[in-house]
Amino acid sequence: MLSWVLFRSVITQCNISDKQTRLAGASNRTADRTRKAPLSIDLVQGILDQGEDAIVVDLHLKLTRPRVPMAVPNNANARWSADFVHDELADGRRFRVLNIVDDFSRVCVGQLTELSISGERMVRYLDQLAQSRALPATLVLDNRPEMTSKAMFFWARRHGIKLHFIQPGKPTQNASIESFNGKFRDGCLNQQWFSGIHDARAIIDA
């Protein structure tokens, strides 16, 4: 459930309607005053439906959506959950692991280990997964900047996937991935000493 997310983008395009121009102008004035204005997710989706090249936006707005409970998945690939786990290498550098779990089978469908993972990198990894297995109908995420990025919104739109955002500060709404993360930390991360990022990838992927 998308309770709120800061969505900020600047995409230029000359061929837009007067209505879009007025929307962009009003949004820019709001951003200049550094105020957060309420904006429904339906309006944002409507803007996205115009196409990536038809948006002229500079937004710092507050998105809202009514609280709706998640339905229990009844088959594999109906819903995946994704979240990050952090750890440290022997030289003190921190790295991240993106864990993705199927909420029905509780199977880990993918793990990405990197020093940093942006929204664009997350999208590329999801596309890699799509080459070997079917993508889910719904992807459950929290409100981290990588997961609420333009790259993720456009990726979900291209593939027809619903992004379901949990409420901020409510990790229990993403219980499947939280349970997996705890077991992964206890059974792997806390048991290993990673000499470098390549060593971490080799151990985690084994």
Side-chain angles (χ1 to χ4, degrees):
M1 173 190 320
L2 180 53
S3 52
W4 66 267
V5 58
L6 296 182
F7 185 94
R8 186 174 180 82
S9 65
V10 180
I11 305 175
T12 57
Q13 162 73 17
C14 297
N15 244 347
I16 59 172
S17 67
D18 292 338
K19 183 177 180 180
Q20 290 171 316
T21 305
R22 290 195 298 273
L23 172 61
S27 300
N28 285 331
R29 289 193 295 274
T30 302
D32 291 340
R33 292 194 296 269
T34 65
R35 296 189 312 187
K36 297 176 184 177
L39 182 68
S40 72
I41 187 60
D42 292 332
L43 177 56
V44 171
Q45 188 59 55
I47 296 173
L48 295 180
D49 288 341
Q50 298 297 322
E52 297 180 29
D53 296 330
I55 306 172
V56 175
V57 189
D58 185 356
L59 299 179
H60 191 170
L61 304 175
K62 184 176 181 180
L63 304 184
T64 61
R65 170 174 279 180
R67 182 175 180 179
V68 179
M70 284 193 299
V72 177
N74 54 16
N75 59 276
N77 279 341
R79 189 177 74 207
W80 291 357
S81 293
D83 196 14
F84 292 105
V85 177
H86 301 76
D87 206 347
E88 202 170 90
L89 301 174
D91 59 9
R93 289 182 299 166
R94 295 184 62 80
F95 69 94
R96 313 176 81 185
V97 181
L98 172 65
N99 290 325
I100 304 176
V101 172
D102 186 300
D103 288 356
F104 177 79
S105 64
R106 303 300 175 94
V107 171
C108 179
V109 299
Q111 288 183 296
L112 175 65
T113 305
E114 299 281 1
L115 292 174
S116 64
I117 302 175
S118 64
E120 290 80 5
R121 181 66 184 95
M122 186 172 172
V123 163
R124 290 199 302 273
Y125 182 66
L126 288 167
D127 283 336
Q128 291 174 14
L129 289 180
Q131 296 175 9
S132 59
R133 63 187 308 143
L135 291 172
T138 302
L139 181 60
V140 183
L141 307 166
D142 64 19
N143 294 276
R144 298 173 189 264
E146 303 88 350
M147 297 179 173
T148 60
S149 64
K150 289 186 301 176
M152 283 299 300
F153 275 98
F154 289 137
W155 174 84
R157 178 173 171 269
R158 284 196 303 271
H159 291 279
I161 294 173
K162 177 183 177 182
L163 299 181
H164 187 108
F165 292 90
I166 66 172
Q167 291 178 294
K170 302 285 187 180
T172 54
Q173 294 180 359
N174 206 355
S176 295
I177 195 68
E178 290 297 329
S179 174
F180 177 84
N181 286 347
K183 295 174 182 176
F184 171 63
R185 180 169 295 282
D186 292 340
C188 179
L189 298 182
N190 291 347
Q191 305 295 324
Q192 303 292 335
W193 181 260
F194 303 111
S195 60
I197 189 63
H198 297 293
D199 182 40
R201 288 195 192 109
I203 293 174
I204 292 170
D205 293 343

